[in-house]
Amino acid sequence: GLSINEAASYVSMFFLSLFLARFVGFIFVTRQREVPAYWIALCLGVVGLVLGNNGIYWGFGLSGAMGLFFPVFLGRISQVFSKQWRSLTVWVLVIMQSGLFGLNYIIGSLSDMIGIKTVFYIPLALIVAASCLVFVYGRWEIIHSERSEPN
């Protein structure tokens, strides 16, 4: 395992990459770059967690780059659903905070039962699942925009 000081440096790297991803996204992500930006963020998160879970611990730091996904995707949803953006934003934030609470509790409980190393695969599985849902949403958005375009 890692010492507390070693683990702290990787946690710091995570939050630094989270900040940098959001800062760079704020400057460079335009409407045309939203979809590639959130896919790059999700892929970096997956790659980082795979590396970290396999002993290349700086990968956990890299996984913070997925922090770009949330603000970009939330912005995209608020544009696509422009009439419902207020209620959607509230629902997304409520679900996110509830999920954070629940996952912290579950991960803490499971780490006592099956070990922290095994439990660290849960975030990876959840990011892959979220990526699949984002893909489905993307397909829905494409199909919906094709149907609403005038001929």
Side-chain angles (χ1 to χ4, degrees):
L2 299 172
S3 70
I4 291 174
N5 288 337
E6 289 172 320
S9 69
Y10 296 117
V11 170
S12 296
M13 285 173 34
F14 172 84
F15 285 105
L16 178 62
S17 67
L18 181 91
F19 164 75
L20 289 174
R22 288 182 176 179
F23 183 74
V24 169
F26 174 74
I27 294 171
F28 293 109
V29 175
T30 61
R31 177 86 168 133
Q32 295 79 20
R33 295 180 182 157
E34 285 174 350
V35 173
Y38 67 66
W39 279 112
I40 289 168
L42 287 171
C43 289
L44 286 173
V46 168
V47 167
L49 288 172
V50 167
L51 291 172
N53 284 336
N54 287 294
I56 304 169
Y57 298 119
W58 58 262
F60 288 131
L62 175 67
S63 69
M66 73 182 143
L68 177 61
F69 171 79
F70 179 73
V72 171
F73 195 71
L74 189 61
R76 184 165 185 86
I77 286 175
S78 70
Q79 291 173 357
V80 172
F81 300 100
S82 57
K83 292 179 182 172
Q84 302 96 347
W85 74 268
R86 284 184 177 90
S87 62
L88 280 173
T89 301
V90 169
W91 276 107
V92 166
L93 292 173
V94 166
I95 291 168
M96 182 185 75
Q97 292 302 319
S98 302
L100 285 172
F101 167 76
L103 284 173
N104 279 308
Y105 178 78
I106 290 168
I107 286 175
S109 299
L110 284 175
S111 67
D112 291 340
M113 289 188 277
I114 61 175
I116 192 72
K117 188 169 180 138
T118 305
V119 170
F120 264 88
Y121 285 97
I122 293 173
L124 177 59
L126 291 174
I127 291 173
V128 169
S131 298
C132 292
L133 290 173
V134 169
F135 178 78
V136 169
Y137 167 77
R139 298 298 308 152
W140 175 88
E141 191 177 293
I142 290 168
I143 291 167
H144 181 62
S145 68
E146 289 171 354
R147 286 183 185 164
S148 62
E149 288 179 3
N151 291 330

